[in-house]
Short mmCIF file of all heavy atoms in Angstrom, two decimals:
data_model
loop_
_atom_site.label_atom_id
_atom_site.label_comp_id
_atom_site.label_asym_id
_atom_site.label_seq_id
_atom_site.Cartn_x
_atom_site.Cartn_y
_atom_site.Cartn_z
N MET A 261 -47.25 1.93 41.82
CA MET A 261 -46.06 2.53 41.30
C MET A 261 -45.80 1.96 39.91
O MET A 261 -45.81 0.76 39.72
CB MET A 261 -44.91 2.22 42.23
CG MET A 261 -43.75 3.06 42.03
SD MET A 261 -42.62 2.55 43.33
CE MET A 261 -41.70 3.91 43.56
N SER A 262 -45.56 2.84 38.95
CA SER A 262 -45.32 2.37 37.59
C SER A 262 -43.84 2.08 37.38
O SER A 262 -42.98 2.68 38.00
CB SER A 262 -45.81 3.40 36.58
OG SER A 262 -45.06 4.57 36.70
N ALA A 263 -43.58 1.16 36.47
CA ALA A 263 -42.19 0.81 36.16
C ALA A 263 -41.57 1.93 35.33
O ALA A 263 -42.20 2.48 34.43
CB ALA A 263 -42.15 -0.50 35.38
N ARG A 264 -40.35 2.26 35.67
CA ARG A 264 -39.64 3.31 34.93
C ARG A 264 -38.79 2.67 33.85
O ARG A 264 -38.20 1.61 34.04
CB ARG A 264 -38.75 4.10 35.87
CG ARG A 264 -39.54 4.94 36.84
CD ARG A 264 -38.63 5.68 37.77
NE ARG A 264 -37.63 6.44 37.04
CZ ARG A 264 -36.74 7.21 37.60
NH1 ARG A 264 -36.71 7.32 38.91
NH2 ARG A 264 -35.85 7.87 36.89
N LYS A 265 -38.73 3.33 32.73
CA LYS A 265 -37.86 2.88 31.66
C LYS A 265 -36.43 3.24 32.01
O LYS A 265 -36.18 4.29 32.59
CB LYS A 265 -38.25 3.53 30.33
CG LYS A 265 -39.58 3.08 29.81
CD LYS A 265 -39.84 3.69 28.46
CE LYS A 265 -41.18 3.24 27.93
NZ LYS A 265 -41.46 3.79 26.61
N PRO A 266 -35.50 2.36 31.67
CA PRO A 266 -34.10 2.70 31.95
C PRO A 266 -33.67 3.91 31.13
O PRO A 266 -34.19 4.16 30.04
CB PRO A 266 -33.33 1.45 31.54
CG PRO A 266 -34.24 0.69 30.65
CD PRO A 266 -35.64 1.08 31.03
N ASN A 267 -32.73 4.65 31.65
CA ASN A 267 -32.22 5.83 30.96
C ASN A 267 -31.23 5.38 29.89
O ASN A 267 -30.06 5.16 30.17
CB ASN A 267 -31.55 6.78 31.97
CG ASN A 267 -31.14 8.08 31.32
OD1 ASN A 267 -31.46 8.34 30.17
ND2 ASN A 267 -30.43 8.90 32.06
N VAL A 268 -31.71 5.23 28.70
CA VAL A 268 -30.88 4.76 27.59
C VAL A 268 -30.70 5.91 26.62
O VAL A 268 -31.66 6.48 26.14
CB VAL A 268 -31.54 3.55 26.86
CG1 VAL A 268 -30.70 3.12 25.68
CG2 VAL A 268 -31.76 2.42 27.84
N ARG A 269 -29.46 6.23 26.36
CA ARG A 269 -29.17 7.29 25.38
C ARG A 269 -29.20 6.69 23.99
O ARG A 269 -28.58 5.67 23.73
CB ARG A 269 -27.80 7.89 25.61
CG ARG A 269 -27.73 8.74 26.82
CD ARG A 269 -26.38 9.37 26.91
NE ARG A 269 -26.33 10.26 28.05
CZ ARG A 269 -25.26 10.90 28.42
NH1 ARG A 269 -24.14 10.75 27.76
NH2 ARG A 269 -25.29 11.69 29.45
N SER A 270 -29.91 7.34 23.12
CA SER A 270 -29.90 6.87 21.74
C SER A 270 -28.75 7.56 21.01
O SER A 270 -28.47 8.73 21.21
CB SER A 270 -31.23 7.18 21.04
OG SER A 270 -31.42 8.57 20.99
N HIS A 271 -28.05 6.79 20.23
CA HIS A 271 -26.93 7.33 19.47
C HIS A 271 -27.46 7.97 18.20
O HIS A 271 -28.25 7.36 17.48
CB HIS A 271 -25.94 6.23 19.11
CG HIS A 271 -25.29 5.62 20.32
ND1 HIS A 271 -24.30 6.27 21.01
CD2 HIS A 271 -25.52 4.46 20.96
CE1 HIS A 271 -23.93 5.51 22.02
NE2 HIS A 271 -24.65 4.42 22.02
N PRO A 272 -27.06 9.21 17.95
CA PRO A 272 -27.51 9.83 16.69
C PRO A 272 -26.89 9.08 15.52
O PRO A 272 -25.80 8.54 15.62
CB PRO A 272 -26.96 11.25 16.77
CG PRO A 272 -25.83 11.18 17.75
CD PRO A 272 -26.15 10.05 18.69
N ARG A 273 -27.63 9.05 14.44
CA ARG A 273 -27.11 8.34 13.27
C ARG A 273 -25.98 9.14 12.64
O ARG A 273 -25.93 10.36 12.74
CB ARG A 273 -28.22 8.07 12.26
CG ARG A 273 -28.69 9.28 11.50
CD ARG A 273 -29.69 8.88 10.41
NE ARG A 273 -30.09 10.03 9.66
CZ ARG A 273 -29.39 10.59 8.69
NH1 ARG A 273 -28.23 10.11 8.35
NH2 ARG A 273 -29.83 11.66 8.05
N ALA A 274 -25.09 8.41 12.03
CA ALA A 274 -23.97 9.06 11.36
C ALA A 274 -24.47 9.77 10.11
O ALA A 274 -25.39 9.30 9.45
CB ALA A 274 -22.93 8.01 10.98
N PRO A 275 -23.88 10.91 9.78
CA PRO A 275 -24.27 11.58 8.54
C PRO A 275 -23.96 10.69 7.34
O PRO A 275 -22.99 9.94 7.34
CB PRO A 275 -23.38 12.83 8.51
CG PRO A 275 -22.84 12.99 9.88
CD PRO A 275 -22.85 11.64 10.51
N SER A 276 -24.81 10.78 6.34
CA SER A 276 -24.59 9.99 5.14
C SER A 276 -24.02 10.88 4.04
O SER A 276 -24.39 12.04 3.90
CB SER A 276 -25.88 9.33 4.66
OG SER A 276 -26.84 10.30 4.33
N VAL A 277 -23.09 10.30 3.29
CA VAL A 277 -22.41 11.03 2.23
C VAL A 277 -22.65 10.32 0.91
O VAL A 277 -22.49 9.11 0.81
CB VAL A 277 -20.88 11.11 2.51
CG1 VAL A 277 -20.18 11.90 1.42
CG2 VAL A 277 -20.61 11.72 3.87
N GLY A 278 -23.08 11.06 -0.08
CA GLY A 278 -23.26 10.53 -1.43
C GLY A 278 -22.15 11.05 -2.33
O GLY A 278 -21.59 12.12 -2.09
N PHE A 279 -21.81 10.28 -3.33
CA PHE A 279 -20.72 10.65 -4.23
C PHE A 279 -21.20 10.65 -5.67
O PHE A 279 -21.95 9.77 -6.09
CB PHE A 279 -19.55 9.67 -4.11
CG PHE A 279 -18.63 9.98 -2.98
CD1 PHE A 279 -18.94 9.59 -1.70
CD2 PHE A 279 -17.47 10.70 -3.20
CE1 PHE A 279 -18.12 9.89 -0.65
CE2 PHE A 279 -16.63 11.02 -2.14
CZ PHE A 279 -16.95 10.60 -0.87
N VAL A 280 -20.70 11.63 -6.42
CA VAL A 280 -20.89 11.68 -7.86
C VAL A 280 -19.49 11.89 -8.44
O VAL A 280 -18.83 12.87 -8.13
CB VAL A 280 -21.81 12.85 -8.29
CG1 VAL A 280 -21.95 12.89 -9.79
CG2 VAL A 280 -23.16 12.74 -7.61
N SER A 281 -19.02 10.93 -9.22
CA SER A 281 -17.70 11.05 -9.85
C SER A 281 -17.89 11.31 -11.33
O SER A 281 -18.52 10.53 -12.04
CB SER A 281 -16.89 9.77 -9.65
OG SER A 281 -16.54 9.62 -8.31
N LEU A 282 -17.35 12.42 -11.77
CA LEU A 282 -17.47 12.82 -13.17
C LEU A 282 -16.08 12.94 -13.78
O LEU A 282 -15.14 13.34 -13.12
CB LEU A 282 -18.18 14.18 -13.28
CG LEU A 282 -19.55 14.27 -12.60
CD1 LEU A 282 -20.01 15.71 -12.61
CD2 LEU A 282 -20.54 13.37 -13.29
N GLY A 283 -16.00 12.63 -15.04
CA GLY A 283 -14.73 12.85 -15.72
C GLY A 283 -13.90 11.60 -15.85
O GLY A 283 -14.39 10.52 -16.13
N CYS A 284 -12.62 11.76 -15.59
CA CYS A 284 -11.64 10.71 -15.85
C CYS A 284 -11.69 9.58 -14.81
O CYS A 284 -12.27 9.74 -13.74
CB CYS A 284 -10.25 11.32 -15.88
SG CYS A 284 -9.70 11.97 -14.29
N PRO A 285 -11.05 8.45 -15.13
CA PRO A 285 -11.01 7.33 -14.18
C PRO A 285 -10.32 7.69 -12.86
O PRO A 285 -10.63 7.12 -11.83
CB PRO A 285 -10.23 6.25 -14.92
CG PRO A 285 -10.39 6.57 -16.37
CD PRO A 285 -10.49 8.07 -16.44
N LYS A 286 -9.41 8.65 -12.88
CA LYS A 286 -8.75 9.06 -11.65
C LYS A 286 -9.75 9.63 -10.65
O LYS A 286 -9.63 9.40 -9.43
CB LYS A 286 -7.66 10.10 -11.93
CG LYS A 286 -6.90 10.50 -10.68
CD LYS A 286 -5.85 11.55 -11.00
CE LYS A 286 -5.07 11.98 -9.77
NZ LYS A 286 -5.83 12.34 -8.61
N ALA A 287 -10.77 10.33 -11.12
CA ALA A 287 -11.80 10.85 -10.22
C ALA A 287 -12.52 9.71 -9.51
O ALA A 287 -12.84 9.82 -8.32
CB ALA A 287 -12.80 11.72 -11.00
N LEU A 288 -12.77 8.62 -10.21
CA LEU A 288 -13.42 7.47 -9.60
C LEU A 288 -12.53 6.85 -8.53
O LEU A 288 -12.98 6.52 -7.43
CB LEU A 288 -13.78 6.43 -10.67
CG LEU A 288 -14.51 5.19 -10.18
CD1 LEU A 288 -15.82 5.55 -9.51
CD2 LEU A 288 -14.73 4.23 -11.32
N VAL A 289 -11.25 6.71 -8.82
CA VAL A 289 -10.31 6.15 -7.85
C VAL A 289 -10.22 7.06 -6.62
O VAL A 289 -10.23 6.60 -5.48
CB VAL A 289 -8.91 5.95 -8.48
CG1 VAL A 289 -7.89 5.55 -7.44
CG2 VAL A 289 -8.99 4.89 -9.58
N ASP A 290 -10.16 8.36 -6.85
CA ASP A 290 -10.11 9.31 -5.73
C ASP A 290 -11.37 9.20 -4.87
O ASP A 290 -11.29 9.24 -3.64
CB ASP A 290 -9.97 10.74 -6.24
CG ASP A 290 -8.61 11.03 -6.84
OD1 ASP A 290 -7.67 10.24 -6.61
OD2 ASP A 290 -8.48 12.05 -7.55
N SER A 291 -12.53 9.05 -5.51
CA SER A 291 -13.78 8.90 -4.76
C SER A 291 -13.75 7.63 -3.92
O SER A 291 -14.19 7.63 -2.76
CB SER A 291 -14.98 8.87 -5.70
OG SER A 291 -15.21 10.13 -6.26
N GLU A 292 -13.22 6.55 -4.47
CA GLU A 292 -13.15 5.30 -3.72
C GLU A 292 -12.25 5.45 -2.50
O GLU A 292 -12.54 4.92 -1.43
CB GLU A 292 -12.66 4.17 -4.62
CG GLU A 292 -13.69 3.77 -5.67
CD GLU A 292 -13.17 2.81 -6.70
OE1 GLU A 292 -11.95 2.52 -6.72
OE2 GLU A 292 -13.98 2.33 -7.51
N ARG A 293 -11.16 6.18 -2.64
CA ARG A 293 -10.28 6.42 -1.50
C ARG A 293 -10.97 7.27 -0.44
O ARG A 293 -10.84 7.02 0.76
CB ARG A 293 -8.99 7.09 -1.96
CG ARG A 293 -8.13 6.16 -2.83
CD ARG A 293 -6.89 6.82 -3.31
NE ARG A 293 -5.99 7.05 -2.17
CZ ARG A 293 -4.92 7.82 -2.23
NH1 ARG A 293 -4.60 8.42 -3.35
NH2 ARG A 293 -4.16 7.98 -1.17
N LEU A 294 -11.71 8.29 -0.87
CA LEU A 294 -12.45 9.12 0.07
C LEU A 294 -13.53 8.32 0.79
O LEU A 294 -13.73 8.48 2.00
CB LEU A 294 -13.09 10.31 -0.66
CG LEU A 294 -12.14 11.40 -1.11
CD1 LEU A 294 -12.85 12.35 -2.07
CD2 LEU A 294 -11.61 12.16 0.08
N ILE A 295 -14.23 7.48 0.05
CA ILE A 295 -15.28 6.64 0.65
C ILE A 295 -14.69 5.74 1.73
O ILE A 295 -15.25 5.61 2.82
CB ILE A 295 -16.00 5.82 -0.44
CG1 ILE A 295 -16.89 6.75 -1.27
CG2 ILE A 295 -16.81 4.68 0.17
CD1 ILE A 295 -17.45 6.12 -2.53
N THR A 296 -13.55 5.13 1.44
CA THR A 296 -12.89 4.26 2.42
C THR A 296 -12.54 5.03 3.68
O THR A 296 -12.81 4.58 4.80
CB THR A 296 -11.63 3.63 1.81
OG1 THR A 296 -12.01 2.86 0.67
CG2 THR A 296 -10.92 2.73 2.81
N GLU A 297 -11.98 6.22 3.53
CA GLU A 297 -11.61 7.03 4.69
C GLU A 297 -12.83 7.45 5.49
O GLU A 297 -12.82 7.43 6.72
CB GLU A 297 -10.82 8.25 4.24
CG GLU A 297 -10.30 9.11 5.36
CD GLU A 297 -9.26 8.42 6.24
OE1 GLU A 297 -8.52 7.54 5.74
OE2 GLU A 297 -9.20 8.75 7.44
N LEU A 298 -13.90 7.86 4.80
CA LEU A 298 -15.11 8.27 5.50
C LEU A 298 -15.73 7.11 6.28
O LEU A 298 -16.20 7.29 7.41
CB LEU A 298 -16.12 8.86 4.52
CG LEU A 298 -15.76 10.24 3.98
CD1 LEU A 298 -16.66 10.62 2.81
CD2 LEU A 298 -15.82 11.28 5.08
N LYS A 299 -15.74 5.92 5.69
CA LYS A 299 -16.26 4.74 6.40
C LYS A 299 -15.45 4.47 7.66
O LYS A 299 -16.02 4.17 8.71
CB LYS A 299 -16.21 3.51 5.49
CG LYS A 299 -17.30 3.47 4.46
CD LYS A 299 -17.17 2.18 3.65
CE LYS A 299 -18.24 2.06 2.62
NZ LYS A 299 -18.10 0.81 1.83
N LEU A 300 -14.12 4.60 7.57
CA LEU A 300 -13.27 4.38 8.74
C LEU A 300 -13.56 5.40 9.84
O LEU A 300 -13.39 5.10 11.02
CB LEU A 300 -11.79 4.46 8.35
CG LEU A 300 -11.26 3.31 7.50
CD1 LEU A 300 -9.84 3.63 7.02
CD2 LEU A 300 -11.26 2.02 8.30
N ARG A 301 -14.01 6.58 9.46
CA ARG A 301 -14.31 7.63 10.43
C ARG A 301 -15.76 7.61 10.90
O ARG A 301 -16.19 8.50 11.62
CB ARG A 301 -13.95 8.99 9.85
CG ARG A 301 -12.46 9.14 9.65
CD ARG A 301 -12.12 10.46 9.02
NE ARG A 301 -10.70 10.55 8.78
CZ ARG A 301 -9.92 11.44 9.37
NH1 ARG A 301 -10.42 12.30 10.22
NH2 ARG A 301 -8.63 11.47 9.10
N GLY A 302 -16.52 6.60 10.47
CA GLY A 302 -17.87 6.42 11.00
C GLY A 302 -19.00 6.99 10.18
O GLY A 302 -20.15 6.96 10.62
N TYR A 303 -18.73 7.51 9.01
CA TYR A 303 -19.79 8.05 8.16
C TYR A 303 -20.50 6.92 7.42
O TYR A 303 -19.90 5.89 7.13
CB TYR A 303 -19.23 9.04 7.13
CG TYR A 303 -18.79 10.34 7.73
CD1 TYR A 303 -17.51 10.48 8.26
CD2 TYR A 303 -19.64 11.43 7.77
CE1 TYR A 303 -17.10 11.68 8.82
CE2 TYR A 303 -19.23 12.64 8.32
CZ TYR A 303 -17.96 12.74 8.85
OH TYR A 303 -17.56 13.93 9.39
N ASP A 304 -21.77 7.13 7.13
CA ASP A 304 -22.51 6.22 6.27
C ASP A 304 -22.36 6.69 4.83
O ASP A 304 -22.37 7.90 4.57
CB ASP A 304 -23.99 6.20 6.63
CG ASP A 304 -24.26 5.52 7.96
OD1 ASP A 304 -23.48 4.63 8.34
OD2 ASP A 304 -25.25 5.88 8.62
N ILE A 305 -22.24 5.75 3.91
CA ILE A 305 -22.17 6.10 2.50
C ILE A 305 -23.54 5.81 1.89
O ILE A 305 -24.03 4.69 1.93
CB ILE A 305 -21.06 5.30 1.78
CG1 ILE A 305 -19.71 5.52 2.48
CG2 ILE A 305 -20.98 5.69 0.31
CD1 ILE A 305 -19.27 6.96 2.58
N ALA A 306 -24.15 6.84 1.35
CA ALA A 306 -25.49 6.71 0.76
C ALA A 306 -25.39 5.99 -0.58
O ALA A 306 -24.42 6.18 -1.31
CB ALA A 306 -26.11 8.09 0.57
N PRO A 307 -26.39 5.17 -0.90
CA PRO A 307 -26.36 4.48 -2.18
C PRO A 307 -26.52 5.43 -3.37
O PRO A 307 -26.14 5.10 -4.49
CB PRO A 307 -27.52 3.50 -2.09
CG PRO A 307 -28.41 4.02 -1.02
CD PRO A 307 -27.54 4.81 -0.09
N GLY A 308 -27.04 6.58 -3.12
CA GLY A 308 -27.20 7.60 -4.16
C GLY A 308 -27.08 8.96 -3.51
O GLY A 308 -26.81 9.06 -2.31
N TYR A 309 -27.29 9.98 -4.24
CA TYR A 309 -27.16 11.30 -3.65
C TYR A 309 -28.49 11.91 -3.24
O TYR A 309 -28.52 12.91 -2.54
CB TYR A 309 -26.38 12.26 -4.55
CG TYR A 309 -26.97 12.44 -5.93
CD1 TYR A 309 -27.95 13.38 -6.15
CD2 TYR A 309 -26.52 11.69 -6.99
CE1 TYR A 309 -28.50 13.55 -7.41
CE2 TYR A 309 -27.05 11.86 -8.26
CZ TYR A 309 -28.04 12.78 -8.46
OH TYR A 309 -28.57 12.94 -9.69
N ALA A 310 -29.60 11.32 -3.64
CA ALA A 310 -30.92 11.90 -3.36
C ALA A 310 -31.20 12.01 -1.86
O ALA A 310 -31.72 13.01 -1.39
CB ALA A 310 -32.00 11.10 -4.06
N GLY A 311 -30.84 11.01 -1.08
CA GLY A 311 -31.15 11.03 0.35
C GLY A 311 -29.96 11.31 1.23
O GLY A 311 -30.05 11.17 2.45
N ALA A 312 -28.85 11.72 0.66
CA ALA A 312 -27.63 11.94 1.44
C ALA A 312 -27.68 13.27 2.18
O ALA A 312 -28.33 14.22 1.75
CB ALA A 312 -26.42 11.92 0.51
N ASP A 313 -26.99 13.32 3.32
CA ASP A 313 -26.87 14.57 4.06
C ASP A 313 -25.87 15.51 3.40
O ASP A 313 -25.97 16.72 3.53
CB ASP A 313 -26.41 14.28 5.50
CG ASP A 313 -27.43 13.46 6.27
OD1 ASP A 313 -28.62 13.80 6.22
OD2 ASP A 313 -27.03 12.47 6.91
N LEU A 314 -24.90 14.92 2.72
CA LEU A 314 -23.85 15.68 2.04
C LEU A 314 -23.53 14.97 0.74
O LEU A 314 -23.50 13.75 0.70
CB LEU A 314 -22.59 15.74 2.92
CG LEU A 314 -21.33 16.31 2.29
CD1 LEU A 314 -21.46 17.83 2.17
CD2 LEU A 314 -20.12 15.95 3.12
N VAL A 315 -23.29 15.73 -0.31
CA VAL A 315 -22.94 15.14 -1.60
C VAL A 315 -21.59 15.71 -2.04
O VAL A 315 -21.38 16.92 -2.02
CB VAL A 315 -24.00 15.43 -2.68
CG1 VAL A 315 -23.56 14.90 -4.04
CG2 VAL A 315 -25.34 14.83 -2.29
N VAL A 316 -20.69 14.81 -2.41
CA VAL A 316 -19.39 15.19 -2.94
C VAL A 316 -19.43 14.97 -4.44
O VAL A 316 -19.72 13.87 -4.91
CB VAL A 316 -18.26 14.34 -2.31
CG1 VAL A 316 -16.92 14.66 -2.96
CG2 VAL A 316 -18.20 14.55 -0.81
N VAL A 317 -19.16 16.04 -5.19
CA VAL A 317 -19.09 15.94 -6.65
C VAL A 317 -17.61 16.01 -7.00
O VAL A 317 -16.96 17.04 -6.82
CB VAL A 317 -19.88 17.06 -7.35
CG1 VAL A 317 -19.76 16.94 -8.86
CG2 VAL A 317 -21.33 17.03 -6.90
N ASN A 318 -17.08 14.91 -7.48
CA ASN A 318 -15.66 14.80 -7.76
C ASN A 318 -15.44 14.83 -9.27
O ASN A 318 -15.98 14.00 -9.99
CB ASN A 318 -15.13 13.49 -7.15
CG ASN A 318 -13.64 13.39 -7.19
OD1 ASN A 318 -12.94 14.33 -7.56
ND2 ASN A 318 -13.13 12.24 -6.81
N THR A 319 -14.67 15.81 -9.71
CA THR A 319 -14.37 15.93 -11.15
C THR A 319 -12.87 16.01 -11.35
O THR A 319 -12.10 16.19 -10.40
CB THR A 319 -15.00 17.20 -11.75
OG1 THR A 319 -14.33 18.33 -11.22
CG2 THR A 319 -16.49 17.27 -11.47
N CYS A 320 -12.46 15.92 -12.57
CA CYS A 320 -11.04 16.05 -12.90
C CYS A 320 -10.60 17.51 -12.86
O CYS A 320 -9.41 17.80 -12.90
CB CYS A 320 -10.77 15.50 -14.30
SG CYS A 320 -10.92 13.73 -14.39
N GLY A 321 -11.53 18.41 -12.85
CA GLY A 321 -11.19 19.82 -12.84
C GLY A 321 -11.12 20.40 -14.25
O GLY A 321 -10.84 21.57 -14.42
N PHE A 322 -11.38 19.58 -15.25
CA PHE A 322 -11.37 20.07 -16.62
C PHE A 322 -12.79 20.37 -17.04
O PHE A 322 -13.70 19.60 -16.78
CB PHE A 322 -10.78 19.00 -17.57
CG PHE A 322 -9.33 18.70 -17.27
CD1 PHE A 322 -9.00 17.52 -16.66
CD2 PHE A 322 -8.34 19.60 -17.61
CE1 PHE A 322 -7.68 17.22 -16.37
CE2 PHE A 322 -7.02 19.31 -17.33
CZ PHE A 322 -6.68 18.12 -16.71
N HIS A 323 -12.98 21.48 -17.66
CA HIS A 323 -14.29 21.84 -18.17
C HIS A 323 -14.19 21.94 -19.68
O HIS A 323 -13.28 22.56 -20.22
CB HIS A 323 -14.74 23.18 -17.58
CG HIS A 323 -14.93 23.13 -16.11
ND1 HIS A 323 -16.06 22.59 -15.54
CD2 HIS A 323 -14.14 23.51 -15.09
CE1 HIS A 323 -15.95 22.66 -14.22
NE2 HIS A 323 -14.79 23.21 -13.93
N ARG A 324 -15.13 21.35 -20.31
CA ARG A 324 -15.15 21.38 -21.77
C ARG A 324 -16.33 22.23 -22.21
O ARG A 324 -17.47 21.93 -21.85
CB ARG A 324 -15.28 19.95 -22.31
CG ARG A 324 -15.12 19.85 -23.75
CD ARG A 324 -15.10 18.41 -24.15
NE ARG A 324 -14.66 18.31 -25.51
CZ ARG A 324 -14.43 17.20 -26.11
NH1 ARG A 324 -14.61 16.06 -25.47
NH2 ARG A 324 -14.03 17.17 -27.35
N ARG A 325 -16.04 23.21 -22.95
CA ARG A 325 -17.08 24.12 -23.44
C ARG A 325 -17.52 23.69 -24.82
O ARG A 325 -16.69 23.49 -25.70
CB ARG A 325 -16.54 25.55 -23.46
CG ARG A 325 -17.63 26.58 -23.54
CD ARG A 325 -17.04 27.94 -23.49
NE ARG A 325 -16.91 28.36 -24.88
CZ ARG A 325 -16.27 29.44 -25.28
NH1 ARG A 325 -15.67 30.19 -24.39
NH2 ARG A 325 -16.21 29.78 -26.53
N GLY A 326 -18.81 23.52 -24.99
CA GLY A 326 -19.33 23.19 -26.30
C GLY A 326 -19.31 24.39 -27.23
O GLY A 326 -19.65 25.48 -26.85
N ASP A 327 -18.84 24.19 -28.44
CA ASP A 327 -18.79 25.29 -29.42
C ASP A 327 -19.88 25.16 -30.44
O ASP A 327 -20.33 24.18 -30.82
CB ASP A 327 -17.43 25.34 -30.13
CG ASP A 327 -16.31 25.71 -29.16
OD1 ASP A 327 -16.56 26.55 -28.27
OD2 ASP A 327 -15.23 25.13 -29.28
#
């Protein structure tokens, strides 16, 4: 009789979120607040956006058109 492995459920990894903050310093502060909230909710924060499951691009909402 062979030994059976215990029935162990593997926990799926948390989705990783990458951030890109563009524009004013307020966008950076907003991103930091979002990162803190996501960490509290169990998300992983990716060191960059290349390998992230989701990328948040945070801007001030102002667009400057080159003339």
Side-chain angles (χ1 to χ4, degrees):
M261 196 176 206
S262 65
R264 291 178 53 178
K265 292 184 180 181
N267 186 7
V268 178
R269 289 184 177 177
S270 63
H271 295 284
R273 73 174 183 80
S276 62
V277 181
F279 276 82
V280 179
S281 291
L282 305 171
C284 67
K286 183 181 180 310
L288 182 60
V289 172
D290 290 344
S291 289
E292 290 172 353
R293 292 178 69 192
L294 287 168
I295 288 169
T296 300
E297 184 65 30
L298 288 169
K299 284 182 179 179
L300 290 172
R301 293 177 183 244
Y303 289 86
D304 289 331
I305 304 303
Y309 58 86
D313 296 313
L314 171 74
V315 176
V316 175
V317 179
N318 189 6
T319 68
C320 290
F322 296 106
H323 296 281
R324 188 174 192 173
R325 197 177 96 189
D327 294 323

